[in-house]
Amino acid sequence: NAGVTQTPKFQVLKTGQSMTLQCAQDMNHNSMYWYRQDPGMGLRLIYYSASEGTTDKGEVPNGYNVSRLNKREFSLRLESAAPSQTSVYFCASSDGGTGNNEQFFGPGTRLTVL
Amino acid sequence: RKEVEQDPGPFNVPEGATVAFNCTYSNSASQSFFWYRQDCRKEPKLLMSVYSSGNEDGRFTAQLNRASQYISLLIRDSKLSDSATYLCAVNKRDSSYKLIFGSGTRLLVRP
């Protein structure tokens, strides 16, 4: 099992460009999440999908959109990148429901916006 | 006040030392608690869940204090390989599955 995979690993964008970060999980998890991590700020939730067909805003959704393509895949789109979106982006998944709900993370995408 | 707070450290300890970290949370209704380990430039990896009765995994012991609203992680006989950032995570008030992460405590184990 690959667990949670993310592409690309690295990306450099110019201000105003758009891109989509891809995430897939093979653990048959119901819930998926997108976080950003900045120095001193910890992990902040951007968007999440509790189950296939649903998406909701997290703590810092502005400037982002998401698509839960199917149970396995959850993508994050930056429509018009800004330097403030320079960060490391992590996708995670969990079983969802009322269990212990530990989350498992992908390797991350390092994004620089110039 | 942040929902989940950790001392950023760094905690600088010699090999073989015992070190403990605390993590305080503000939501008394939180049900799920976790410790994650994050190596430099890597993703967070689940270290252990924290149960009401406390739990132990080798050199690592996690405890929950509901009355004072904190969780703790104790590492005995520290190894050089324990050097990392340790993140605590607590489930969010309005959902059983969303987690709020602390900013992490950095541990440096020196020879």
Side-chain angles (χ1 to χ4, degrees):
Chain A
N1 285 355
V4 181
T5 57
Q6 291 183 236
T7 56
K9 287 189 167 52
F10 303 93
Q11 184 71 48
V12 178
L13 293 177
K14 294 181 180 177
T15 296
Q17 287 185 316
S18 62
M19 77 162 296
T20 300
L21 282 65
Q22 306 287 355
C23 173
Q25 52 91 10
D26 62 3
M27 296 176 281
N28 200 35
H29 282 165
N30 293 303
S31 302
M32 297 184 74
Y33 314 83
W34 276 106
Y35 294 90
R36 61 178 289 173
Q37 187 175 37
D38 303 292
M41 299 291 288
L43 287 160
R44 292 185 292 170
L45 184 65
I46 304 171
Y47 270 93
Y48 68 99
S49 171
S51 59
E52 188 179 354
T54 69
T55 61
D56 284 288
K57 295 178 180 179
E59 184 185 352
V60 288
N62 290 347
Y64 306 94
N65 283 300
V66 290
S67 295
R68 183 75 182 265
L69 304 169
N70 47 56
K71 191 171 186 180
R72 289 187 64 247
E73 297 172 289
F74 189 37
S75 63
L76 177 72
R77 183 159 178 84
L78 286 70
E79 290 291 352
S80 178
S84 60
Q85 294 178 305
T86 293
S87 189
V88 182
Y89 291 85
F90 290 106
C91 177
S93 70
S94 71
D95 188 51
T98 57
N100 218 16
N101 282 304
E102 54 267 30
Q103 293 183 11
F104 298 90
F105 286 80
T109 295
R110 294 186 175 275
L111 175 66
T112 300
V113 183
L114 302 175
Chain B
R1 183 187 171 187
K2 288 184 181 179
E3 291 186 73
V4 178
E5 291 197 82
Q6 294 183 255
D7 182 340
F11 285 60
N12 192 323
V13 303
E15 259 188 303
T18 296
V19 62
F21 314 131
N22 283 343
C23 166
T24 59
Y25 61 94
S26 60
N27 180 3
S28 60
S30 295
Q31 297 289 332
S32 300
F33 308 89
F34 306 96
W35 282 104
Y36 283 79
R37 171 193 169 124
Q38 186 173 24
D39 293 298
C40 188
R41 301 179 73 82
K42 297 286 188 180
E43 74 272 24
K45 292 187 177 178
L46 182 68
L47 181 64
M48 55 200 309
S49 302
V50 186
Y51 303 119
S52 296
S53 55
N55 46 307
E56 189 173 308
D57 183 3
R59 298 181 293 109
F60 298 84
T61 300
Q63 293 196 311
L64 167 63
N65 185 319
R66 284 195 184 276
S68 300
Q69 294 184 208
Y70 72 88
I71 61 173
S72 63
L73 178 68
L74 181 78
I75 305 175
R76 289 180 297 278
D77 189 22
S78 298
K79 311 291 186 191
L80 295 175
S81 58
D82 294 333
S83 296
T85 297
Y86 292 84
L87 307 173
C88 63
V90 177
N91 80 311
K92 193 167 165 55
R93 175 194 293 270
D94 59 354
S95 163
S96 65
Y97 48 81
K98 284 193 296 183
L99 297 179
I100 297 293
F101 286 83
S103 298
T105 297
R106 191 166 172 221
L107 173 65
L108 300 172
V109 181
R110 64 181 187 270

